[in-house]
Amino acid sequence: MTTLLLSLLLALAQSALPAVRPLPAPLSVTRWWDPPPTPYAAGHRGVDLSAPVGAEVRAVADGLVHYAGPVAGRGVLSLTLPNGLRTTYEPVRPLVTEGEQVRAGQVVAVLTEGSHCPAPCLHWGLLAGETYLNPLTLLPRPTPRLLPAEHPAESGLAGV
């Protein structure tokens, strides 16, 4: 039942929110979302996106700044989206303050150095209540595109 509810919530999130990347394209995932089997088990509760220190971090959707400040020595930004989901970004230097309204695509933080990744990265998270979800589900799926087939003579398969 929980899985069904979360799947429905994500489907609604995708259709109701404009999809804006938190970093400039192309996104380079250095570590994928790996949810823990239980709430207190080890796992990776977000995705790590490669980016240089100083990169501009953008709000992925309109929202309200839930938190902007330090957590365990790292700068953290958390935005509550209109559908109740919450996105998190770290390590960052927030450019917005708690309670401030932000727009999709607005620069809300600057990436700083952190110890989460071997090279500079943005750890981007998504929560529904206390449940972590895959933040990449907020982004639109790429549109599949068929490419023209090679002519058999060009591919070396003539007469096969």
Side-chain angles (χ1 to χ4, degrees), residues 6-105:
L6 289 176
S7 297
L8 179 59
L9 187 60
L10 281 174
L12 290 173
Q14 284 181 307
S15 64
L17 297 174
V20 176
R21 293 177 179 92
L23 293 168
L27 292 182
S28 176
V29 177
T30 59
R31 187 168 175 201
W32 296 92
W33 182 64
D34 182 21
T38 64
Y40 303 105
H44 194 240
R45 294 164 172 84
V47 295
D48 294 339
L49 304 172
S50 178
V53 169
E56 294 181 333
V57 178
R58 299 182 180 279
V60 295
D62 292 349
L64 182 70
V65 178
H66 178 78
Y67 180 80
V71 173
R74 286 190 301 258
V76 173
L77 177 63
S78 177
L79 305 176
T80 301
L81 308 181
N83 58 10
L85 295 177
R86 198 168 69 239
T87 58
T88 60
Y89 312 83
E90 65 175 276
V92 296
R93 179 175 46 87
L95 301 175
V96 292
T97 58
E98 282 183 41
E100 189 175 335
Q101 287 288 139
V102 297
R103 306 290 301 161

Side-chain angles (χ1 to χ4, degrees), residues 119-131:
C121 78
L122 174 70
H123 179 78
W124 178 35
L126 176 66
L127 293 108
E130 297 299 315
T131 303

